[in-house]
Amino acid sequence: MRSTNYTGIIGAILVIAGGFCPMLRLPIIGNWNYWDLEVVLASIVYLFAALGLFASVSGKPGLLKFSGWAALIVIVFTLVAVHFKVNDSFSFIPFKKLAAYATRLVKYKWLGWSLLALGAILMIVAGRKKNIEEVPVVKN
């Protein structure tokens, strides 16, 4: 196996591990990981991570690159959706300062998000095709 295969494997493992790390800290409830945020999106990201792991082991860089991009798109979509959901969750409170205070109580845990993004980026980088043309060597 080449080093790009190992990079793809590490990227897929980072995506899987990042999903189990805490992503949000809620005041009374505790930490939420990807499964607690949204089961369907977490399943899709893990499916792309497993597909990337398979592509990395079997040596298919195109499939690995696709898996990385697809996982990254779903991760960014989830981050944006969580941001809007957190900011909109306390809109039922009639007092704006109290609603803003309640919104500030929800904290993002960036370790999980960064592991997910780093793993997806590693899968994209490992899936690049090297288009280096061989230069003919002239022997004397």
Side-chain angles (χ1 to χ4, degrees):
M1 285 177 41
R2 298 186 338 225
S3 64
T4 57
N5 293 60
Y6 291 121
T7 306
I9 291 171
I10 291 170
I13 290 172
L14 282 177
V15 168
I16 292 169
F20 288 113
C21 289
M23 300 179 143
L24 279 182
R25 170 86 176 123
L26 302 171
I28 297 171
I29 298 171
N31 292 328
W32 278 10
N33 59 11
Y34 216 147
W35 288 107
D36 296 326
L37 290 175
E38 178 63 38
V39 176
V40 175
L41 292 176
S43 300
I44 292 170
V45 167
Y46 284 132
L47 176 72
F48 286 131
L51 189 63
L53 190 63
F54 169 74
S56 186
V57 170
S58 63
K60 299 179 190 258
L63 184 61
L64 181 62
K65 188 175 181 181
F66 168 75
S67 299
W69 276 113
L72 188 63
I73 288 169
V74 174
I75 291 164
V76 169
F77 174 75
T78 306
L79 181 62
V80 170
V82 165
H83 174 73
F84 284 127
K85 182 66 176 175
V86 166
N87 288 334
D88 192 46
S89 290
F90 301 104
S91 63
F92 67 92
I93 300 175
F95 305 109
K96 293 196 184 278
K97 287 188 179 186
L98 185 61
Y101 176 73
T103 302
R104 283 192 307 269
L105 288 177
V106 177
K107 302 290 182 193
Y108 290 94
K109 296 290 188 174
W110 292 106
L111 176 67
W113 293 108
S114 60
L115 284 179
L116 283 167
L118 180 66
I121 289 170
L122 280 177
M123 286 174 25
I124 293 167
V125 168
R128 286 188 315 188
K129 294 181 182 177
K130 304 277 183 175
N131 291 333
I132 301 172
E133 297 180 20
E134 293 186 26
V135 178
V137 177
V138 179
K139 293 184 180 180
N140 293 342

